[in-house]
């Protein structure tokens, strides 16, 4: 498999969940993190893991620029695996033009937990969500809603509801060519989370997320996983 980190940059997020690009001149306080969706290429699929932020530069979605820097055209993406619906993971799905929603990946099948949509729609006062996008998801013809707690999407792609960061947050494994790629999204966003066994209060169920990380680390060591770290500013891919 080939793994590509689509590095949108390092950002600082304030209490209103507004993301500002981190530079030497940045003086604002907040949580510092990378934003980097991933592409995993197998013999059968070109898979995008989460959408990133929905910035548009001169009419071109930023995620298109990241893909093309890596010699991938957006229409080549066959599947998109969505971990949860916070804005920094879903906004890159598309944008509004003249009140019409325009998808960035209309040819890809997009996999989202149905219960995560329902949960997010109950949190519309939470600045982590973009209600306008949430209201579009079930209308899209290429969205496949997952309802199970675990299962397989193909013979190579597996999912499980980890339910740590959000109530129905899900994680993914891609298994091909005697390799295992694991994407823990915001239940395992940075390498340091494996060193600091902490139940974070900002998670829906911080204790569950903490216990999941312990389990995943052990399995990663035993099975030589490649772990994708969406928010790590130094180590996008951690190999065991």
């Amino acid at each position: 498999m080939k793994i590509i980190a689509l590095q949108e940059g390092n950002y600082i997020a304030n209490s209103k969940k507004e993301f500002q690009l981190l530079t030497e001149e940045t003086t604002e306080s907040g949580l510092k993190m990378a934003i980097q969706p991933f592409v995993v290429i197998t013999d059968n699929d070109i898979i995008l893991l989460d959408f990133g932020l929905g910035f548009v530069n001169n009419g071109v979605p930023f995620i298109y620029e990241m893909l093309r820097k890596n010699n991938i055209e957006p229409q080549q993406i066959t599947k998109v695996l969505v971990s949860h619906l916070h804005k920094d993971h879903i906004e890159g799905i598309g944008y509004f033009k003249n009140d019409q929603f325009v998808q960035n990946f209309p040819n890809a099948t997009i996999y989202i937990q149905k219960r995560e949509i329902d949960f997010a729609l109950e949190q519309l006062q939470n600045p982590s969500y973009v209600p306008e996008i949430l209201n579009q998801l079930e209308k899209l013809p290429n969205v496949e809603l997952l309802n199970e707690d675990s299962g397989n999407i193909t013979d190579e792609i597996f999912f499980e509801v980890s339910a740590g960061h959000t109530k129905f947050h899900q994680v993914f494994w891609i298994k091909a060519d005697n390799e295992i790629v694991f994407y823990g999204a915001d239940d395992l966003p940075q390498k340091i989370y494996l060193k600091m066994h902490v139940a974070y209060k900002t998670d829906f169920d911080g204790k569950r997320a903490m216990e999941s990380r312990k389990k995943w680390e052990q399995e990663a060591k035993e099975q030589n996983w490649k772990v994708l770290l969406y928010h790590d500013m130094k180590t996008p891919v951690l190999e065991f």
Side-chain angles (χ1 to χ4, degrees):
M1 288 184 281
K2 184 176 181 180
I3 300 169
I4 301 170
L6 303 177
Q7 297 174 322
E8 296 191 354
N10 296 327
Y11 293 81
I12 188 163
N14 63 22
S15 60
K16 297 180 181 180
K17 301 302 179 183
E18 296 168 333
F19 289 82
Q20 179 182 345
L21 191 64
L22 193 61
T23 67
E24 293 181 358
E25 288 75 34
T26 302
T27 58
E28 289 78 2
S29 60
L31 185 62
K32 297 177 182 178
M33 66 184 79
I35 303 290
Q36 49 198 3
F38 291 88
V39 169
V40 176
I41 302 173
T42 72
D43 290 340
N44 299 305
D45 283 296
I46 300 180
I47 304 159
L48 178 65
L49 292 137
D50 281 339
F51 286 105
L53 288 164
F55 297 146
V56 177
N57 294 330
N58 299 317
V60 179
F62 189 37
I63 195 165
Y64 280 16
E65 296 181 23
M66 296 299 99
L67 287 166
R68 287 170 175 154
K69 281 183 179 180
N70 290 279
N71 300 311
I72 299 171
E73 287 299 317
Q75 62 267 26
Q76 291 179 273
I77 300 296
T78 58
K79 292 180 174 61
V80 186
L81 311 180
V82 179
S83 63
H84 65 297
L85 301 176
H86 284 168
K87 63 171 63 172
D88 54 320
H89 291 257
I90 193 67
E91 270 194 316
I93 191 173
Y95 59 95
F96 287 89
K97 184 177 182 180
N98 299 326
D99 295 327
Q100 295 294 314
F101 187 68
V102 179
Q103 283 201 70
N104 287 336
F105 299 95
N107 298 325
T109 303
I110 301 169
Y111 296 88
I112 303 175
Q113 271 288 330
K114 169 66 167 68
R115 293 168 293 172
E116 179 71 7
I117 297 177
D118 296 338
F119 172 72
L121 286 170
E122 296 172 356
Q123 316 291 316
L124 295 185
Q125 301 306 312
N126 184 332
S128 292
Y129 295 104
V130 183
E132 295 80 7
I133 289 179
L134 296 178
N135 288 325
Q136 296 295 318
L137 296 178
E138 292 189 67
K139 302 175 185 177
L140 302 179
N142 53 323
V143 165
E144 184 161 327
L145 299 173
L146 304 173
N147 289 287
E148 300 80 14
D149 288 338
S150 63
N152 59 298
I153 291 169
T154 70
D155 290 340
E156 296 178 336
I157 304 170
F158 303 83
F159 71 91
E160 180 178 295
V161 174
S162 55
H165 187 61
T166 64
K167 191 171 184 179
F168 296 100
H169 181 286
Q170 61 184 354
V171 299
F172 299 95
W173 291 262
I174 303 170
K175 303 179 182 181
D177 302 324
N178 296 314
E179 293 180 304
I180 300 175
V181 170
F182 174 70
Y183 178 55
D186 278 9
D187 277 353
L188 180 49
Q190 297 174 327
K191 181 180 177 180
I192 196 171
Y193 278 57
L194 295 175
K195 296 181 179 179
M196 299 174 60
H197 296 300
V198 176
Y200 291 94
K201 293 181 179 179
T202 52
D203 287 339
F204 175 80
D205 189 339
K207 184 177 180 181
R208 179 166 178 166
M210 178 183 69
E211 294 303 323
S212 292
R213 287 190 287 271
K214 293 178 183 178
K215 180 185 71 172
W216 293 332
E217 183 177 19
Q218 183 61 38
E219 292 176 357
K221 291 175 179 177
E222 293 171 353
Q223 301 173 28
N224 304 119
W225 292 1
K226 294 179 179 178
V227 176
L228 311 182
L229 302 171
Y230 190 87
H231 288 307
D232 199 295
M233 295 192 293
K234 294 182 179 179
T235 309
V237 182
L238 183 60
E239 297 190 31
F240 286 87

